Amino acid sequence: MTTNDDLRAFSTESDWFVTMTIPAPSNLDDAQGRFELEWRNARRQLSDTWGEDEIARLDKVIAGLRHHDAVAVVVVHARHGATFVELLEEPVSATTVHEGPVPRWATVLESRQRVIAHVVVETDRAGADLTGFAGSVVVATETVDGATLHIHRGHPGGWSQRRFQQRAENTWENNARDVADSVATMARRVEAELIAVSGDVRAQTFVLDLLPTDVAAVAVKIEAGSPSGIADEVVRLLSTMVAERVTAAAELVRSRRAHGTAAIDAREIIDALRTGRVETLLVHDDGTDGPDADPVWQDGARLVDRAICASLATDAEIIVVPNLAMLDGPLAALLRW
């Protein structure tokens, strides 16, 4: 699971921040020019709070980015301080610019909760190609080359047919054992939460049967055979995992409210945040500049942003959720006590 220590540390960089979300589509003519235009549009929206030196530093940061680095980018700049950049794997509809006493982290957090470490295995009877991912970023690759002697079942006939078939079966299984060992090693190294095994049906079965118990628990068989089909199936599985986690968190809130260890009232959650009692914060951010629900925090920051920063400061888990029917407002929380 992705940690957010960098967000917590950056939130204390200053008492004033600008948070900019900029699309970076690569499927357009003159994509780099479009990206630079989006930055100029964002730049024009900056207030007089930012001096020429800070604008120049931002220009330099943006100049170091390219439209093909990501489909969108979040840039947070701390007044008289550092600049934070997060590359997004999901597109955004438009450039946004927001200034305030705390950063707006919801878009970054929602993007991060979709980054699930996984391993894709493309196997046949002679070995496999393994690729480890963190989201869409390749973090590890390996090719396993097994024995090919007697790899195919022959049909010599007579008394020797069974012997040839058994040799083939033994070779397949030995190769699959090597593949399974490599898959387990890579999965543990990248802390994979999903292992997708594609390829020859018999080889898939061997590999899945030979995986250690802890690794097998997150392994699934992929029916698709083409690279694009495998990619589509893996994306679907990962999206399902994200949705299931959101649903499970919402169900916990619903079930634990009866025992006083969950809340959906904003003021109750604010009080719990101040005393470090929030275990998990569920937050829905519609992107609007709604009024703060608590008078003590009416300093130009939104309730959503203050709640996120308070959760970061106390090591609470944060889950960005859609607008759930159970929410009275933008927040829900599981409480430590």
Side-chain angles (χ1 to χ4, degrees):
M1 183 174 292
T2 304
T3 63
N4 296 309
D5 292 346
D6 55 340
L7 306 188
R8 176 178 57 198
F10 196 88
S11 297
T12 63
E13 277 278 322
S14 177
D15 60 354
W16 198 257
F17 300 83
V18 59
T19 304
M20 297 173 284
T21 303
I22 306 172
S26 291
N27 59 345
L28 302 175
D29 293 337
D30 190 25
Q32 186 61 36
R34 174 64 181 272
F35 178 65
E36 292 168 359
L37 175 63
E38 293 288 353
W39 161 237
R40 290 195 295 272
N41 289 338
R43 197 179 188 274
R44 282 194 290 269
Q45 296 179 53
L46 294 173
S47 70
D48 295 338
T49 299
W50 312 100
E52 291 184 6
D53 289 346
E54 290 192 293
I55 298 295
R57 289 211 307 274
L58 279 171
D59 282 334
K60 186 175 182 179
V61 168
I62 299 299
L65 302 175
R66 295 293 181 265
H67 70 89
H68 51 70
D69 291 337
V71 297
V73 61
V74 173
V75 178
V76 184
H77 182 66
R79 183 167 58 185
H80 309 310
T83 304
F84 171 96
V85 176
E86 183 92 353
L87 304 178
L88 305 182
E89 297 186 3
E90 297 289 331
V92 297
S93 58
T95 294
T96 61
V97 178
H98 300 285
E99 298 183 31
V102 293
R104 290 194 170 189
W105 292 129
T107 300
V108 172
L109 289 164
E110 184 172 20
S111 176
R112 288 187 177 189
Q113 73 189 29
R114 294 182 175 277
V115 177
I116 297 176
H118 59 285
V119 173
V120 176
V121 182
E122 298 174 75
T123 188
D124 58 25
R125 300 181 186 188
D129 291 323
L130 282 55
T131 310
F133 294 86
S136 63
V137 178
V138 175
V139 294
T141 60
E142 183 179 349
T143 296
V144 181
D145 293 318
T148 56
L149 185 64
H150 306 303
I151 196 72
H152 300 292
R153 280 185 175 178
H155 296 281
W159 64 271
S160 62
Q161 180 175 352
R162 181 174 179 81
R163 181 180 62 184
F164 275 96
Q165 289 178 344
Q166 188 60 51
R167 285 179 180 173
E169 290 277 354
N170 291 343
T171 302
W172 298 345
E173 186 167 359
N174 288 336
N175 290 345
R177 183 171 287 105
D178 291 341
V179 171
D181 289 344
S182 295
V183 169
T185 299
M186 180 179 289
R188 289 165 179 157
R189 185 167 75 247
V190 305
E191 298 182 348
E193 299 178 67
L194 172 71
I195 299 167
V197 182
S198 65
D200 179 89
V201 174
R202 191 60 185 274
Q204 284 179 297
T205 300
F206 273 134
V207 170
L208 289 167
D209 287 347
L210 291 167
L211 288 173
T213 303
D214 62 317
V215 176
V218 297
V220 297
K221 182 185 289 188
I222 296 292
E223 301 294 339
S226 67
S228 61
I230 294 169
D232 289 344
E233 183 67 7
V234 170
V235 168
R236 185 190 67 78
L237 289 168
L238 294 172
S239 297
T240 300
M241 289 177 67
V242 173
E244 288 174 346
R245 290 175 180 177
V246 169
T247 300
E251 286 299 325
L252 272 178
V253 170
R254 187 175 288 108
S255 63
R256 286 173 51 173
R257 283 184 65 200
H259 305 287
T261 55
I264 61 172
D265 177 76
R267 291 184 179 276
E268 184 179 352
I269 293 169
I270 290 166
D271 180 66
L273 284 168
R274 290 187 176 126
T275 55
R277 292 189 295 116
V278 172
E279 175 186 318
T280 302
L281 180 75
L282 281 66
V283 57
H284 171 68
D285 184 6
D286 62 7
T288 61
D289 293 309
D292 200 317
D294 182 73
V296 178
W297 279 354
Q298 283 187 347
D299 54 2
R302 298 182 309 161
L303 172 64
V304 164
D305 300 324
R306 275 295 183 196
I308 287 174
C309 287
S311 297
L312 290 170
T314 56
D315 289 325
E317 182 183 7
I318 304 167
I319 303 175
V320 180
V321 301
N323 189 15
L324 302 176
M326 57 170 282
L327 298 180
D328 290 340
L331 305 177
L334 297 169
L335 306 178
R336 292 181 170 123
W337 70 87

